[in-house]
Amino acid sequence: MLRTHNLGELNLENINENVTLSGWVQKSRDLGGMTFIDLRDRYGITQLVFNLETNSDLCLQARKLGREFVIQVSGRVIERSSKNKNIFTGEIEIEVNKLIILNPSKTPPFTIETNSDGGDELKMKYRYLDIRREPIKENLILRHKVSACTREYLNQEGFIEVETPYLIKSTPEGARDFIVPSRMNSQQFYALPQSPQTFKQLLMVAGMDKYYQIVKCFRDEDLRSDRQPEFTQIDCEMSFIEQEDILNTFEGLTRHILKKIKDVNIDKFPRMTYDTAMELYGSDKPDIRFEMKFVDLTNDCKGNDFIVFDKAEFIVGINVKEGSKFSRKEIDKLVDYVKSPQVGSSGLIYCKFNDDGTSKSSVDKFFDEKSRKKWAEQALCEKGDLLLIMSGEKEKTRKAMSALRLHMAELLNLRNPEEFAPLWVIDFPLLEWNEEANRYNAMHHPFTSPKKEDITKLENDPAAVRANAYDLVLNGNEIGGGSIRIHDKKLQKLMLKHLGFTDEQAQNQFGFLTEAFEYGAPPHGGVAFGFDRLCAILGGSESIRDFIAFPKNNSGRDIMIDSPSSIDRAQLDELNIKLK
Amino acid sequence: MLRTHNLGELNLENINENVTLSGWVQKSRDLGGMTFIDLRDRYGITQLVFNLETNSDLCLQARKLGREFVIQVSGRVIERSSKNKNIFTGEIEIEVNKLIILNPSKTPPFTIETNSDGGDELKMKYRYLDIRREPIKENLILRHKVSACTREYLNQEGFIEVETPYLIKSTPEGARDFIVPSRMNSQQFYALPQSPQTFKQLLMVAGMDKYYQIVKCFRDEDLRSDRQPEFTQIDCEMSFIEQEDILNTFEGLTRHILKKIKDVNIDKFPRMTYDTAMELYGSDKPDIRFEMKFVDLTNDCKGNDFIVFDKAEFIVGINVKEGSKFSRKEIDKLVDYVKSPQVGSSGLIYCKFNDDGTSKSSVDKFFDEKSRKKWAEQALCEKGDLLLIMSGEKEKTRKAMSALRLHMAELLNLRNPEEFAPLWVIDFPLLEWNEEANRYNAMHHPFTSPKKEDITKLENDPAAVRANAYDLVLNGNEIGGGSIRIHDKKLQKLMLKHLGFTDEQAQNQFGFLTEAFEYGAPPHGGVAFGFDRLCAILGGSESIRDFIAFPKNNSGRDIMIDSPSSIDRAQLDELNIKLK
């Protein structure tokens, strides 16, 4: 080893020991006859001291070291005169007697500090320098810990990690596949998996009983700011279980992670049906760290000659506690917000309930004090509260109000990243209407089982059929989702028919799965967690990119290695493909 | 849960308990008025009993159950009259009072038994049934355990598991890349990684200090019987280390795995230079579970007018202990073996040392008793031994003799799969001559550092330059290999020049790496283990395929899902490529 200790482990107990250390020069300060250098590695920072009087050669050498030089030093651990109690090594320093430059460094394009000066593009290009920064480094270590304690729990519970293949078959499971031309099988293609869904189900047919895998998945989608073409899933499946068993097992996993990673103890996770979530929060992934539930005002608002309300399918309010202090200007901004393209609403009605007991709304022309009192009763508004009301087509209005609710929480600082509020959302609809294709899609995926009591509705009222499907929501983000699968060949065929697959298409794409179901498939179900998202939330961030070692940008490019890139003609020739 | 217990956990302690069990019908026997069913799951087998007299309906129902039906039963645990002490559940059976068929099964195309009747192709097609068989199931569980205890050790040692990207850049690292067309970056391609080599080095530049990953890698090679286009590596890298540290750390890992998985204790692993391994075994991955070392007879065999020897560059023998009992016919078979295309030798000389002190060789015409005595002295042959001699061009002869040595060990049962003999082979040559390209290739890879004292030979005697490269060999298989990397930009450039890269090619392919080295790269090195192979050896097998859940066949096809397959024209259009 080029060191006897790392840079985060020496303290007063090591006084007078002779040590050898290696690391990066974080910063250097000349104070009178002394030069101090902060030497950094993954584990911490240790202060080096060089004395111009007692060892001028060495000190002069040290003064020439630039930021990010890699050096090795030997010396004696001594007590510091000015101590830094904030770091573990802050009470000691190293009186250096030997210095070796292991590798010089050009000046990095941005500072290696917690708050750095580089822009996003620059940091992506020099990702290996960005990772040296404390926050990114800590994110990657957090990710490692989350995966380690995920495995710890699942191994303990008798799950077997099985690797499923990456070179599989293209099946339109929802998003576009990345495809891989085969050289040995000319004009044929593999696809990269969007998830190991079919393989984990086959592992259940194979009797593996409890499977998991922390695994990369691939989707060739147009990237939104927080999507990656390759992402990681905690993928799980169990046999001989019912929905209740899955919920308990993975609630256990999540509890274990929250305890181990954040030292947060959460008892039983609350559960909510999809219908209730939509009704109370206008979202299937409500953030329940704060209240501000929807109040249906449809009946209370009609018939006062306010045409906007009168013609609205749906009128909904939220009570912003202590919101009456919002100024006119601030409320105008809220109106601007709901009218912005990302929310797309046509307007916002407000009603302030003042401290003196009076109220004031933007529609006082139509609604008198008495009407406004009625609103207050409905929405449990008290003195000092602010009622925000939106109206229109039901689904759209709910969505807009959900956005506004989160926006208000943001403004009022109600979304504490160090608070963790998990929630099971259950009883999802089986199908969702696809406008474009003019048919139903599987809301979860084609292998999700309908609730037994709803199967008869498949023919005449498909939208009302509920699925044995569930999502785990954490702080308003879907971190996991799953379902009890269909294990019966006949039911699977019926489902595929309802999803618009012809027999031939179904056979082509899922034939191996439906055939497998004929050889004694056990009842089974599972769940998959979005691992990148989970890590981000645990790290107190909304963005997954900083929790991925080498992420891609919004065009799917890795700027650091400059990929994708063009390819030799010869390579394409071998694959029997050509560019258009 | 559809069960109260699994099928491997009930025993006499549970007598009289009412239990519910689920699983597959392994087999069914009608004995007089009783029907016995072996019910199977991942955990074991539990016997069910149905009594025709006391519950005839149920018993008649049970008699109709076919093999591999999935059933759920409830009943009482009772003591068996005829006990099976070989299995944990063998002293009890379940007196069934309720039976539900969860899923019927067609008759499987091969029996779900340890020794099954299905051919390889059939088993690949119905892999999900093959996995139900005890040996394959146990292989997958073994694999899970090996990965779990690999992580256990590396986490303990302070390694961080970091996921590196799968969509990277095509670089000719040796084998062919699989490529992935990018839709968003038209006419450009990603490549799937042959290994995370450059990324793990960048993680060292990034200061991650100790990295590992159990990760899929991809090579588009023509497949030999025991290669897979996608395979798994335990990939590791460390900073601020020397070769000795790497050897110790990963010797520790291997020791931990052998202890945990096989309960085998191995002290210090022996080490051998590449040169010695070639000299004594004709192989850089010698199986040292048995002796039969090479004896150089070049000097002892020349000058006796036997023209084959006289004109040979190299003459080598192995002493087959107690081999004189081989009959003439058996020795003829050995001659056939060395002449077979896979060995490709022109012949084999033998000399038997008989129990009576006499000797007899196939070249007695040229070599008298005295000459043969001299051979015996050289090769330490005693009464009853058999000396086998081959001659010719040195490298070819070594290779052929190495094959013969393993063949003899096979015949004599000297390769006990339950014995584990690890060996470090060190001091590999840096370069190897590439006949076809008429230039040197990196023997390990272009980032491997030469030994300091040999760098000056790079210009004039490149073949003599040794590398800081090492392989870990287990039972004659390379299970791991690695090197100390070049961390100096100048040396890396020099190496790339010697490997025939133009500046432009080097910049194009490795520019991001050499640039990264300018920002304070620490000294670093690492190792990668072939995880599939490691699992196979631990499982006592030479074939990796049975240790992979869903392997591909020799044409790179997954027979079960029928992949690769043709693809929609529309999908190709979107990617701006077409078939040739």
Side-chain angles (χ1 to χ4, degrees), chain B residues 539-565:
Chain B
S541 166
E542 296 271 314
S543 158
I544 63 173
R545 198 180 283 176
D546 283 344
F547 293 80
I548 296 172
F550 300 102
K552 295 191 173 51
N553 75 3
N554 285 350
S555 321
R557 295 198 69 81
D558 183 326
I559 304 178
M560 180 184 72
I561 63 171
D562 190 25
S563 166
S565 57

Side-chain angles (χ1 to χ4, degrees), chain A residues 1 132 163 190 232 245 519 556, chain B residues 132 163 190 232 245 519 556:
Chain A
M1 294 290 293
R132 284 189 196 162
E163 294 172 59
Y190 301 100
T232 304
D245 305 304
Y519 290 97
Chain B
R132 286 190 195 162
E163 294 171 59
Y190 302 100
T232 304
D245 305 305
Y519 291 97

Side-chain angles (χ1 to χ4, degrees), chain A residues 172 431-442 496-501 505:
Chain A
L431 304 165
E432 64 185 349
W433 184 251
N434 182 335
E435 277 301 343
E436 249 171 84
N438 198 36
R439 60 171 174 79
Y440 282 100
N441 276 352
L496 290 173
K497 198 192 91 189
H498 278 285
L499 294 170
F501 287 84
Q505 284 171 329

